[in-house]
Amino acid sequence: MTAVNPPAIGRELVNPPSDGISNLRFSNHSDNLLVSSWDKSVRLYDASANVLRGEFMHGGPVLDCCFHDDSSGFSASVDNCVRRLVRLVFSHGKEDILGKHDAPVRCIEYSYATGQVVTGSWDKTLKCWDPRGASGQEHTLVGTYQQPERVYSLSLFSNRLVVATAGRHVNIYDLRNMSQPEQRRESSLKYQTRCVRCYPNGTGYALSSVEGRVAMEFFELSEASQAKKYAFKCHRKSEAGRDIVYPVNAIAFHPIYGTFATGGCDGFVNVWDGNNKKRLYQYSKYPSSIAALSFSRDGRLLAAASSYTFEEGDKPHEPDAIFVRSVNEMEVKPKPKVLP
């Protein structure tokens, strides 16, 4: 019997969440994939084997998750709690509540550089936690840092932390000295920020908005560095002479080539070469909005959450699904510049 090639959008994972997918992330050590959802679960999949390895139920919808090591992680929930999820591969894995915010927790990151967990909340604060001690806020909370508005997105590179909030604020911190931001910026995009992700080489960050644009920014404040920044339009279409613009929900950098994928409410995933300002590839349309994207540690796999993000209110929509596709080098490798 001839093998059936997986569709261009990839292979659909079994046992998907039953409500909106808020984030997904590959492990740094394997093809394990951690997925958080509005159905109050965090799920652990082996993406290569297409197997659900474990599931944790929470007290409310889960807005973000991240790995600690290959079988444990952390979660951020609408019930205001920050949880440590231990032994994810077993159904009897246990959870610890590291602590709480005063409002839903929107984002969570684990810093391998400092061993701390960083969370951002709609309570307009950032909190750092030390998960190595005993559980309970009095043991784990390292510090609370006031933000200008509700936190929408976080990204880490080494000791650098980028915080994007409502009101188009961007704060840049050094995790070794959180007393105040190294830099306070305003987004160069006119509309609400959806996602921020640091470049794999640590020189800057990409930031996306609800209005079909991505800004490429640099940390270094010298004139030469700032001259390199730019923004571009994406995830748009023209229909009957009108420009229809979609939110850009997700950005994921390729770990080898430094190119990046964006996912939008138009159901498309595009791959970009930021240095050469070119689109390298567009994958076939997914059934619903792209809510989250992640490349595996070696860049061989791309996971995409096809999950309606309610940008047009409550309406009938395709079931929430996770697709994992094999990445062809020509889709993500920058093309050499052709000299005139």
Side-chain angles (χ1 to χ4, degrees):
M1 195 174 85
T2 54
V4 178
N5 288 325
I9 58 174
R11 181 173 59 170
E12 189 172 347
L13 291 189
V14 297
N15 301 310
S18 59
D19 202 345
I21 297 163
S22 53
N23 203 8
L24 46 73
R25 303 201 198 208
F26 272 108
S27 164
N28 287 338
H29 308 285
S30 71
D31 290 341
N32 282 353
L33 185 71
L34 203 59
V35 180
S36 54
S37 168
W38 283 82
D39 71 359
K40 305 183 183 179
S41 76
V42 170
R43 286 169 161 83
L44 178 73
Y45 297 89
D46 180 331
S48 293
N50 197 356
V51 174
L52 177 63
R53 293 260 183 241
E55 183 177 5
F56 270 84
M57 296 311 292
H58 290 60
V62 190
L63 299 183
D64 200 3
C65 61
C66 64
F67 276 102
H68 179 209
D69 56 34
D70 214 28
S71 62
S72 65
F74 303 98
S75 67
S77 177
V78 165
D79 67 4
N80 304 0
C81 290
V82 179
R83 288 176 174 83
R84 170 172 37 195
L85 311 173
V86 187
R87 293 196 299 276
L88 282 158
V89 285
F90 306 115
S91 55
H92 57 270
K94 67 188 181 77
E95 67 165 46
D96 288 329
I97 292 180
L98 283 184
K100 286 191 167 188
H101 278 267
D102 294 330
V105 193
R106 176 63 187 89
C107 333
I108 192 159
E109 294 284 342
Y110 177 70
S111 165
Y112 291 92
T114 64
Q116 291 180 4
V117 175
V118 184
T119 53
S121 167
W122 292 339
D123 68 5
K124 305 183 185 179
T125 69
L126 202 62
K127 288 182 188 278
C128 290
W129 313 87
D130 186 346
R132 293 166 289 200
S135 285
Q137 188 143 319
E138 66 280 7
H139 303 296
T140 56
L141 184 63
V142 176
T144 300
Y145 311 99
Q146 201 64 39
Q147 298 303 299
E149 250 292 359
R150 290 154 293 159
V151 179
Y152 283 165
S153 189
L154 295 178
S155 187
L156 279 175
F157 178 85
S158 185
N159 285 304
R160 196 162 245 153
L161 170 68
V162 182
V163 185
T165 75
R168 300 170 43 250
H169 301 280
V170 178
N171 280 347
I172 300 163
Y173 287 90
D174 183 332
L175 283 173
R176 295 164 297 188
N177 177 17
M178 291 289 293
S179 55
Q180 59 180 14
E182 275 187 325
Q183 297 177 32
R184 289 183 174 90
R185 295 187 179 186
E186 189 177 84
S187 165
S188 55
L189 305 180
K190 288 182 193 160
Y191 294 88
Q192 179 185 305
T193 303
R194 265 289 156 94
C195 182
V196 66
R197 291 291 177 264
C198 291
Y199 304 158
N201 65 8
T203 60
Y205 58 90
L207 179 145
S208 71
S209 81
V210 296
E211 189 254 345
R213 279 178 208 262
V214 173
M216 307 300 287
E217 303 281 352
F218 294 86
F219 294 128
E220 177 63 54
L221 291 173
S222 70
E223 212 173 304
S225 281
Q226 288 305 305
K228 292 190 291 187
K229 73 178 192 178
Y230 68 96
F232 63 94
K233 296 177 184 178
C234 51
H235 299 281
R236 294 161 175 247
K237 71 176 180 185
S238 283
E239 214 169 69
R242 285 174 63 238
D243 212 12
I244 299 173
V245 180
Y246 297 92
V248 185
N249 298 320
I251 302 169
F253 280 90
H254 192 273
I256 312 298
Y257 294 119
T259 50
F260 62 97
T262 57
C265 287
D266 56 354
F268 282 105
V269 174
N270 295 315
V271 182
W272 308 90
D273 176 353
N275 290 333
N276 293 319
K277 302 184 182 179
K278 281 189 165 58
R279 186 168 76 180
L280 294 173
Y281 204 79
Q282 183 177 70
Y283 296 122
S284 302
K285 193 173 187 212
Y286 284 80
S288 194
S289 307
I290 301 298
L293 292 169
S294 182
F295 282 105
S296 60
R297 72 202 185 288
D298 53 12
R300 287 184 309 104
L301 300 174
L302 175 64
S306 171
S307 181
Y308 179 52
T309 55
F310 288 82
E311 65 278 2
E312 294 175 1
D314 204 355
K315 67 171 192 179
H317 55 85
E318 293 291 325
D320 302 290
I322 302 157
F323 294 92
V324 177
R325 73 184 313 284
S326 294
V327 175
N328 188 320
E329 195 177 68
M330 69 108 175
E331 298 160 3
V332 292
K333 189 174 182 179
K335 293 176 175 59
K337 271 192 170 171
V338 180
L339 295 172

